[in-house]
Amino acid sequence: MALPRLQFITHTMKNLSIAPVCVSQVRAMSRVKRRRSLPPFWWPKSTRTMYPEHITSQNEDFLLDVVEEKYSSPLKVDPWERGTFKERSMRCGLIARKIGIYPMWTKDGSRLLTTLLQVSDNHVIKYIPPEEHIVHGLKKRYRELGAVVVGADPIDPRMITKEYYNIFSETGVMPKKKMSKFLVTPNAKLARGTPLYASHFRPGDYVDIAGTTIDRGFQGVMKRWGFKGMPASHGVTKSHRRGGTIGSGGDKARVLPGQKMPGHMGRERRNLRGLKVWRVNTQHNVLWVNGPAVPGGVGSYVYIYDSLLPHRKHTEENHPPFPTFFQDEEDIEEELYDEQLHAFHLPSIQFAEK
Amino acid sequence: MVGVGARSGAARLFGVLQGLCRETWGCQARGVATRASTRVLPFIPTQDPDVIRKVPHDFRVVYPEFLPNPVPEWRNRLREKIERKDMLARRSNMPIPEFYIGSIMAVTVADPNAAGKTNRFVGICIQRGDSGLRAWFSLRNVIDHQGLEIKYEMYSPLVQNIEVLRLEKRLDDELLYLRDALPIYSTFPSDMETEILQEGAPVPVNPIKVQLKPRPWHERWERKNLQGVRDLGLPERFYKKAKLHEKPWEKYDLMKEYRATIPEEEQADIFREISSHYPLLESTRRRGKRKRVLPSLS
Amino acid sequence: MNQAEIRKLIPAVRVVINAKHRRFSNPKGPEGRLMMMRKTVTELVKLERVELNYQRGDEARGYAERLIASAIKNGDCHIPTMEMANYWLNEKQLVHKLFKVLAVRYRDSTESYTKLHKAPNKYPGFFREKAVLELKGNPFPPLEPNNSSRNWIHNILLEEAHQEYIKKKLKEEETDN
């Protein structure tokens, strides 16, 4: 039978680290828990139960003034030394919100769809050096890496628990709604409270994006696995969108694990590799990234990293701003376009006569 | 509390809190796919006392693609703002004239395979759709007894020029029935000259009633309430069946029509935002000074 | 397709609405759903305060707001608005009430015309989210008590803290100058 043989092949090929693209991967992945209904037990509870407090509007304004004043001036910290780029350096990523999709055109006239991602108020929350960074089961090659925790989107400090608030007490920025850890080489370390902007990426860079896909709920086998179903007429009884046979019978005498069936589809973490950044707007902190397939709906959070693809690695001659682009100190144009991209303020594309 | 346009303390921080209260976000954070629909907050117009410019009453009809897609799950104010800026940048390079369904237009596109590297097509606009940079329209013509329809993206940089040869409206919103009409109604000469309208005159409505070919058709035109076709001449059973499919209550469904539109205040806000480009936009509406030639058959 | 409808200019509804309509499964289908909404809107205009299930109230609220808004905007000589009012209000005296009483009452209002209160549920029993939908400015006593919290201890303390904060700010400014 074809299937066991394939499994045998993938087992021996594991050491060669060639990823098998075959149906046995689905069967192996069927046991993995893909969604969690509760946050991990080690996370602190972030929001507190809000009760109606009947505060007068004047007092409400006063409280907001106090909160704003507290975060108006950044913390005075000694600036950390800024590392320089070396081969195999990894710098931190960004947390962005997907705000939409619209078409753009390249200079030779071909149309492509771009996803707009807004890097909303990112700040570094803390840096964890490699010695202190303990993750159970981390691969050997990642053990020399530190971690930078980045936070996005401020939240009113009155709405959160004390434990959650204390995470941000030394950063000098308002507590964040969303946080993520990015593995970095020690030379890419960043001080607490450093703002991160969309200019961290340049047009022409390639990025990997991780996000949670749209929740499609309980879906049938046609939408979930792409089964073809059965004809609408010609004597087909009650089986127009069903899966048909689920086993081969005989020796196996059971349903194999990983059998594709209806079930919950979506709300999973997915990574998209090697998306090109076509355009950057530094005023609104928006990135235009290739393709419409960024996981999640409009308004969902995504995590953007420098691409890990071997052909997209940065070199010392052409490396991105390292450890990040300090937009408060340096000037940058408002709109940056990739060389191949046709910016809308340019004249129409015309093909030259040979 | 003071009107929301004023930057009161609550408005300052509140705009930052609560998931940016003006937006509607999908239910991504929920444990399981919820059937609960997203809640759409009421639109609060930004009070802009400096811009007292009046919005021309027909802006939404002339520039419908500046209005965003009303589906709340896909809306984002910042992205719409950036998109409109890009649209205006494109229009400053390639002016897009005012046109309606039923107008006869000529579009020149850059084509690497054509002689002279450009391709010009004349046709009647039968459909237009989508908003923002995806806005498109479809032109139909019959050339050498072959019906041709070409869909053009209005903001594509390959489009060199869009001319409106005859600016007029028809009795219907979509002219897809021309596919089933006699070819004479979709035939327009490629060397048609521009018919110039009088300055300030309203857009004429062509009351023509098109004659359809005998059945079979692409669609059941008897069910579509078409104004611009002659009596279809079908047996009674077609009209009986059509009546069963009618939904006469839909025209009274106030919320259905509301969900399909952008509210008046929001439209005014959007057009006020691009008010600095009015002179550029107005100049592309191009109405000449000479009187118009009487319309021919089609 | 994927385009906003431009044939009509509709004023914004001033309440929170669902992105999609609620289906309210009905033997008559979509027409039955609209007839159910009509009944609720008629009752609301007639009685000015109705007790019903939350879902029905929330859905009917949108229709009531739109009806009143179009009555205010267009007045009673506008034929499409009259036809709409004629459809939505099953009793014909209520059409007069809509144009002569409600449109006049809410003519200068910048807020919503209705209020949807959450109502308590009868316990024990099957849980249904109950609500009370009422027109603002109705002649009945208010449903929710309007307790001003200005004299509550925490507000008084916060006011004092506010005064101290202002004094501190002024002192700092003086020392700066």
Side-chain angles (χ1 to χ4, degrees), chain C residues 36-140:
Chain C
M36 197 171 108
M37 288 294 107
R38 251 206 300 193
K39 223 170 147 183
T40 313
V41 169
T42 313
E43 291 287 296
L44 177 69
V45 169
K46 180 167 154 188
L47 303 168
E48 297 200 26
R49 184 183 280 175
V50 248
E51 194 181 314
L52 29 55
N53 286 339
Y54 176 78
Q55 279 80 11
R56 188 170 172 155
D58 191 53
E59 200 75 4
R61 198 178 178 198
Y63 289 103
E65 292 270 337
R66 276 241 42 219
L67 187 68
I68 297 171
S70 50
I72 294 169
K73 184 180 172 191
N74 301 322
D76 56 356
C77 295
H78 190 239
I79 294 174
T81 314
M82 290 213 296
E83 280 177 8
M84 198 63 84
N86 191 35
Y87 177 86
W88 277 98
L89 302 167
N90 291 330
E91 288 163 41
K92 298 315 148 197
Q93 322 112 294
L94 295 175
V95 175
H96 294 289
K97 183 179 177 185
L98 172 72
F99 287 109
K100 306 279 188 228
V101 176
L102 298 179
V104 174
R105 193 198 290 180
Y106 300 123
R107 196 170 35 206
D108 302 317
S109 168
T110 51
E111 310 177 308
S112 60
Y113 314 121
T114 58
K115 186 136 177 66
L116 186 68
H117 305 269
K118 292 271 189 86
N121 199 56
K122 229 185 346 179
Y123 179 86
F126 186 75
F127 176 70
R128 273 198 184 88
E129 285 182 33
K130 286 286 184 190
V132 174
L133 181 61
E134 63 167 7
L135 291 175
K136 285 187 183 164
N138 62 60
F140 308 117

Side-chain angles (χ1 to χ4, degrees), chain A residues 64 102 111 215 267 346 349, chain B residues 13 30-31 33 86 153 160:
Chain A
L64 287 167
Y102 69 58
R111 181 181 185 266
D215 194 349
R267 208 181 149 253
L346 297 173
I349 294 169
Chain B
L13 203 55
R30 308 291 190 90
D86 282 343
E153 295 224 314
Q160 308 296 309

Side-chain angles (χ1 to χ4, degrees), chain A residues 71 152-157 160 164-165 168 173-177:
Chain A
Y71 297 105
D153 266 344
I155 190 169
D156 187 358
I160 54 174
Y164 191 77
Y165 176 81
F168 305 93
V173 294
M174 235 192 289
K176 300 290 186 186
K177 225 183 279 177

Side-chain angles (χ1 to χ4, degrees), chain B:
Chain B
M1 210 173 278
V2 189
V4 186
R7 299 291 279 164
S8 67
R12 254 177 290 151
L13 203 55
F14 209 67
V16 142
L17 314 172
Q18 311 259 16
L20 297 119
C21 64
R22 289 202 186 179
E23 303 306 319
T24 65
W25 307 120
C27 9
Q28 281 295 301
R30 308 291 190 90
V32 186
T34 51
R35 295 235 179 78
S37 188
T38 42
R39 298 288 275 172
V40 181
L41 297 167
F43 177 73
I44 303 155
T46 52
Q47 286 144 26
D48 217 340
D50 299 333
V51 182
I52 313 165
R53 250 176 280 241
K54 269 199 184 154
V55 177
H57 64 279
D58 58 352
F59 240 60
R60 70 184 196 283
V61 186
V62 180
Y63 310 108
E65 73 274 6
F66 278 93
L67 297 174
N69 190 345
V71 176
E73 271 92 25
W74 302 333
R75 290 204 57 189
N76 181 285
R77 304 282 188 272
L78 175 66
R79 187 251 303 147
E80 284 158 21
K81 213 166 131 180
I82 298 174
E83 199 167 2
R84 267 177 248 130
K85 210 169 137 194
D86 282 343
M87 284 158 76
L88 290 168
R90 177 70 192 140
R91 272 177 181 256
S92 64
N93 280 310
M94 208 275 304
I96 299 171
E98 173 188 1
F99 67 96
Y100 300 91
I101 305 289
S103 308
I104 298 160
M105 300 158 70
V107 176
T108 324
V109 287
D111 190 350
N113 305 317
K117 300 297 176 186
T118 55
N119 195 347
R120 186 171 186 266
F121 184 73
V122 171
I124 183 168
C125 179
I126 54 169
Q127 247 190 336
R128 75 186 286 186
D130 283 0
S131 51
L133 287 166
R134 297 173 198 246
W136 57 267
F137 60 89
S138 219
L139 297 183
R140 181 183 168 79
N141 203 343
V142 173
I143 293 172
D144 284 344
H145 310 289
Q146 174 62 54
L148 279 179
E149 281 177 26
I150 305 184
K151 185 169 161 179
Y152 291 103
E153 295 224 314
M154 279 156 71
Y155 291 92
S156 168
L158 290 170
V159 173
Q160 308 296 309
N161 192 19
I162 302 177
E163 302 159 43
V164 172
L165 304 174
R166 185 189 301 164
L167 180 66
E168 65 178 11
K169 291 190 210 182
R170 287 283 181 108
L171 297 170
D172 295 303
D173 281 333
E174 274 187 348
L175 299 179
L176 294 173
Y177 56 77
L178 289 178
R179 290 171 184 164
D180 291 320
L182 298 174
I184 184 73
Y185 295 102
S186 313
T187 317
F188 304 97
S190 302
D191 52 359
M192 198 167 155
E193 278 181 11
T194 316
E195 291 167 24
I196 307 166
L197 274 181
Q198 210 174 31
E199 187 91 37
V203 177
V205 179
N206 192 344
I208 191 167
K209 297 257 184 195
V210 149
Q211 189 178 345
L212 299 186
K213 292 189 278 200
R215 278 181 70 243
W217 293 327
H218 288 90
E219 281 222 49
R220 293 185 229 245
W221 299 118
E222 71 276 7
R223 295 188 189 181
K224 297 281 174 179
N225 256 341
L226 302 173
Q227 306 299 313
V229 296
R230 267 185 227 170
D231 181 40
L232 298 167
L234 294 171
E236 189 54 40
R237 65 172 200 276
F238 284 93
Y239 299 109
K240 273 193 192 153
K241 264 275 180 75
K243 232 189 166 79
L244 292 173
H245 287 266
E246 260 176 34
K247 295 180 187 173
W249 60 86
E250 268 192 2
K251 71 168 186 274
Y252 298 111
D253 198 337
L254 293 164
M255 287 313 289
K256 189 183 170 100
E257 75 180 359
Y258 182 72
R259 286 185 175 105
T261 55
I262 303 289
E264 198 177 358
E265 290 89 340
E266 192 162 2
Q267 286 192 22
D269 251 21
I270 289 168
F271 290 126
R272 230 182 280 135
E273 187 194 299
I274 59 171
S275 59
S276 48
H277 297 270
Y278 280 4
L280 170 76
L281 291 172
E282 288 298 291
S283 67
T284 63
R285 287 173 74 162
R286 289 203 292 132
R287 310 264 191 112
K289 286 176 191 157
R290 269 171 278 155
K291 256 201 180 154
R292 184 189 143 142
V293 174
L294 284 167
S296 50
L297 171 68
S298 52

Side-chain angles (χ1 to χ4, degrees), chain A residues 156-176:
Chain A
D156 187 358
R158 293 175 295 158
M159 282 165 57
I160 54 174
T161 56
K162 191 144 192 120
E163 203 186 350
Y164 191 77
Y165 176 81
N166 288 336
I167 299 169
F168 305 93
S169 48
E170 287 169 46
T171 55
V173 294
M174 235 192 289
K176 300 290 186 186

